[in-house]
Amino acid sequence: QVQLVESGGGSVQAGGSLRLSCAASGYYTNNCMGWLRQAPGKEREGVAAIYTGGGNPYVADSVKGRFTISQDNAKNTVYLQMNSLKPEDTAMYYCAWSSGYCRTLHFAIEGQGTQVTVSS
């Protein structure tokens, strides 16, 4: 069974940066890991995804050019580097996992979430 542990959330002013980390235990290799976010009153949104076996990562248009997803396979960890943060990026961010390639942004397993708050 896969367990996901997120860290790195917090509060930052607009224009600042944060890096989220997600450590996975079990079934990390050659599977899809990603990040979702949900702001109050809004639907959950897929932000980024990466296939841990290699290949081009996916980043949603809403954050493209500001957010980067990366991986450290030696640590079974994926990261979400968030730069030039905006107040509208404020949300709970969830690490997520699915078996196999990243075909969609619907994941089978999600972590507990980490809060990101961006003030203007």
Side-chain angles (χ1 to χ4, degrees):
Q1 185 174 354
V2 178
Q3 291 187 326
L4 306 172
V5 179
E6 303 108 328
S7 61
S11 297
V12 65
Q13 289 190 330
S17 297
L18 285 173
R19 188 177 79 158
L20 306 183
S21 300
C22 176
S25 60
Y27 300 100
Y28 170 86
T29 304
N30 295 337
N31 287 302
C32 181
M33 290 190 67
W35 292 91
L36 308 169
R37 69 182 181 182
Q38 188 165 21
K42 294 189 177 181
E43 293 187 355
R44 193 160 290 192
E45 173 190 17
V47 176
I50 190 166
Y51 176 63
T52 61
N56 294 327
Y58 166 83
V59 178
D61 288 342
S62 58
V63 301
K64 193 168 293 182
R66 300 188 297 119
F67 290 13
T68 303
I69 187 170
S70 62
Q71 63 192 76
D72 184 339
N73 289 351
K75 296 181 179 179
N76 285 8
T77 298
V78 296
Y79 303 96
L80 185 69
Q81 178 67 44
M82 306 184 294
N83 299 327
S84 302
L85 283 161
K86 304 175 181 180
E88 52 263 43
D89 294 318
T90 295
M92 185 70 79
Y93 283 72
Y94 298 90
C95 179
W97 175 98
S98 278
S99 175
Y101 292 102
C102 298
R103 295 178 179 86
T104 72
L105 289 177
H106 296 283
F107 295 90
I109 296 174
E110 297 179 5
Q112 293 298 309
T114 185
Q115 178 68 37
V116 171
T117 302
V118 184
S119 59
S120 58

